[in-house]
């Protein structure tokens, strides 16, 4: 049960430091405590933990323009951040995780601006069917976060320039382009400022939980721990992702997300497996990949390995693990 609220807003806009702060706050949230962290990134594409960054983003153009490629810890799809975007993170322990309540904080704050915010689908908040907030979720050994975007006045030319969204994904949502599926809050309230939105979120946070909010400062966080995590998030090994030499590849888009499996096979056995996906449950993807290591490269054996692997659901899980395993096994039987 939540009995303490903490709030921190950073003026820093360097994305790797913001991810480091987010991780630290999540892993150090005390039982019964909920921390709301507000932050902004300058010219950044953030990909989900299991995504292929080269498929989701024009990396060369982004970096040539002085932008940043970032890989977060949570699953889900790629998003664009600039200073017209305000980001939020709820950091809690698993027993205190309450997604409807956390979503209510965001929607209530936006509605206080006269904008009818509605949670939809697996992770979006929309107005009139157009998305202004995408959300993603993490559960790591009982430490959870729920984070997302609030698009106030994002440069949509840059958004379209840097994101390379798969046409199949857009078609599955019944839309023609990235531009066609998003809206900025300033399109609806032209005078809305970042400070005003941040203040509304702090007020809503207190109202929804019925508790006072304690202010935290960035200077209160341990500099050495933050720097170490910042360096890890900024490393090429992390942000570009693990790439394997592969001989076999299969892919499909499922209702729970896209899925691309690459296999390295030696003497009939799978030596390595890499999965890129925008599935929200990032741990499920890791577990499926691990289940295939050492497995004979035969459809029946691979499908059975996937069906038999243990996918542990948590309070942040958004899809049925048995359905995910069945879908992947069926794809393997069909394609391998």
């Amino acid at each position: 049960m939540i009995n303490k609220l903490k709030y921190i807003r950073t003026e820093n806009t360097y994305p790797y430091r913001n991810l480091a702060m987010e991780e630290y706050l999540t892993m150090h949230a005390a039982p019964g405590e909920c921390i709301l962290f507000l932050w902004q990134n300058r010219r950044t594409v953030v990909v989900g933990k299991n995504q292929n960054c080269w498929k989701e983003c024009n990396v060369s153009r982004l970096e040539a323009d002085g932008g940043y490629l970032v890989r977060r810890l949570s699953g889900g799809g790629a998003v664009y951040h600039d200073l017209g975007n305000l980001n939020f993170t709820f950091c809690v322990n698993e027993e205190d995780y309450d997604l409807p309540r956390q979503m209510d904080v965001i929607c209530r704050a936006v509605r206080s601006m006269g904008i009818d915010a509605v949670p939809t689908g697996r992770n979006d908040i929309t107005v009139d069917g157009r998305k202004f907030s995408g959300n993603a979720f993490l559960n790591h050994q009982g430490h959870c976060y729920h984070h997302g975007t609030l698009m106030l006045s994002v440069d949509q030319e840059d958004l379209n320039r840097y994101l390379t969204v798969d046409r199949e994904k857009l078609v599955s949502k019944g839309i023609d382009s990235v531009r066609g599926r998003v809206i900025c809050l300033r399109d609806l309230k032209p005078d809305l400022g970042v400070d005003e939105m941040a203040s509304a979120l702090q007020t809503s946070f207190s109202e929804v939980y019925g508790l006072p909010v304690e202010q935290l400062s960035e200077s209160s966080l341990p500099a050495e721990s933050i720097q170490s995590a910042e360096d890890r998030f900024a490393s090429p090994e992390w942000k570009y992702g693990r790439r394997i030499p592969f001989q076999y590849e299969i892919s499909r888009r499922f209702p729970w997300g896209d899925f691309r499996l690459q296999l390295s096979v030696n003497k009939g056995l799978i030596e390595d497996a890499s999965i890129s996906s925008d599935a929200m449950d990032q741990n499920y993807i890791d577990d499926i990949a691990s289940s295939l290591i050492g497995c004979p490269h035969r459809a029946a054996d691979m499908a059975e390995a996937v069906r038999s692997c243990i996918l542990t659901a948590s309070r942040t899980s958004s899809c049925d693990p048995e359905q995910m395993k069945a879908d992947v096994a069926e794809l393997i039987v069909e394609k391998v």
Side-chain angles (χ1 to χ4, degrees):
M1 178 178 176
I2 298 294
N3 53 41
K4 180 180 289 188
L5 303 182
K6 292 184 178 179
Y7 169 87
I8 179 171
R9 181 183 175 193
T10 178
E11 298 300 320
N12 165 68
T13 61
Y14 184 56
Y16 307 117
R17 182 171 183 83
N18 283 331
L19 262 69
M21 291 176 62
E22 177 182 64
E23 180 185 57
Y24 181 87
L25 291 167
T26 300
M27 298 307 162
H28 291 84
E33 179 177 83
C34 184
I35 303 171
L36 175 59
F37 173 42
L38 299 185
W39 45 287
Q40 291 180 282
N41 287 333
R42 58 184 185 263
R43 190 173 295 186
T44 297
V45 170
V46 187
V47 297
K49 180 179 182 289
N50 296 305
Q51 287 192 294
N52 180 337
C53 64
W54 310 100
K55 182 172 178 287
E56 303 296 330
C57 170
N58 189 327
V59 176
S60 298
R61 175 179 289 177
L62 173 70
E63 294 182 338
D65 291 346
Y68 301 90
L69 177 73
V70 169
R71 183 178 300 276
R72 61 181 184 265
L73 294 171
S74 60
V79 292
Y80 177 67
H81 291 174
D82 62 17
L83 297 184
N85 199 89
L86 178 63
N87 308 305
F88 61 85
T89 308
F90 295 91
C91 308
V92 295
N93 280 215
E94 183 172 6
E95 61 267 26
D96 300 316
Y97 184 87
D98 187 340
L99 182 58
R101 207 175 193 187
Q102 292 150 204
M103 283 288 200
D104 190 31
V105 171
I106 304 305
C107 291
R108 184 181 295 214
V110 174
R111 288 172 189 150
S112 74
M113 303 296 161
I115 299 169
D116 187 21
V118 179
T120 61
R122 62 176 186 164
N123 68 323
D124 294 343
I125 307 177
T126 63
V127 57
D128 296 330
R130 297 179 69 186
K131 172 180 174 179
F132 66 85
S133 176
N135 293 242
F137 319 97
L138 174 77
N139 186 332
H140 180 70
Q141 299 177 352
H143 301 280
C144 300
Y145 70 49
H146 157 207
H147 61 182
T149 60
L150 288 172
M151 297 174 57
L152 275 70
S153 59
V154 173
D155 187 325
Q156 295 200 40
E157 293 297 330
D158 281 349
L159 183 151
N160 283 278
R161 181 179 296 115
Y162 301 130
L163 290 183
T164 53
V165 179
D166 193 326
R167 176 71 184 171
E168 185 179 353
K169 183 184 296 187
L170 295 174
V171 169
S172 74
K173 294 177 179 287
I175 50 181
D176 295 325
S177 67
V178 176
R179 184 188 297 275
R181 67 184 288 219
V182 301
I183 190 170
C184 289
L185 294 179
R186 279 191 190 163
D187 293 337
L188 304 169
K189 189 177 188 299
D191 60 343
L192 178 60
V194 172
D195 289 344
E196 183 182 6
M197 191 72 249
S199 178
L201 286 166
Q202 185 178 356
T203 298
S204 176
F205 187 39
S206 178
E207 290 176 349
V208 168
Y209 285 92
L211 294 167
V213 178
E214 176 186 341
Q215 298 277 344
L216 290 178
S217 67
E218 185 174 346
S219 61
S220 68
L221 306 182
E224 187 174 338
S225 296
I226 299 299
Q227 186 62 55
S228 176
E230 178 184 319
D231 293 343
R232 171 164 42 84
F233 282 117
S235 69
E237 294 79 12
W238 174 259
K239 65 182 181 180
Y240 297 125
R242 192 173 73 94
R243 305 176 79 179
I244 67 170
F246 64 94
Q247 296 90 15
Y248 304 96
E249 179 179 85
I250 58 175
S251 64
R252 179 164 293 167
R253 179 154 190 87
F254 297 106
W256 44 263
D258 61 34
F259 179 89
R260 184 176 299 272
L261 170 65
Q262 296 174 336
L263 299 172
S264 175
V265 179
N266 185 29
K267 297 180 180 178
L269 297 178
I270 298 171
E271 284 193 327
D272 206 352
S274 175
I275 298 175
S276 59
S277 176
D278 66 352
M280 299 302 297
D281 297 273
Q282 80 286 345
N283 291 330
Y284 290 174
I285 296 300
D286 294 340
D287 292 341
I288 289 173
S290 297
S291 75
L292 293 169
I293 305 299
C295 180
H297 185 237
R298 292 191 296 265
D301 295 289
M302 293 170 61
E304 180 57 28
V306 170
R307 292 190 193 102
S308 301
C309 73
I310 304 299
L311 306 184
T312 305
S314 73
R315 295 181 69 178
T316 65
S317 298
S318 60
C319 66
D320 179 354
E322 295 306 315
Q323 185 63 56
M324 179 181 280
K325 290 194 294 183
D327 287 343
V328 173
E330 181 180 349
L331 173 64
I332 289 170
V333 169
E334 180 182 332
K335 295 290 189 180
V336 173

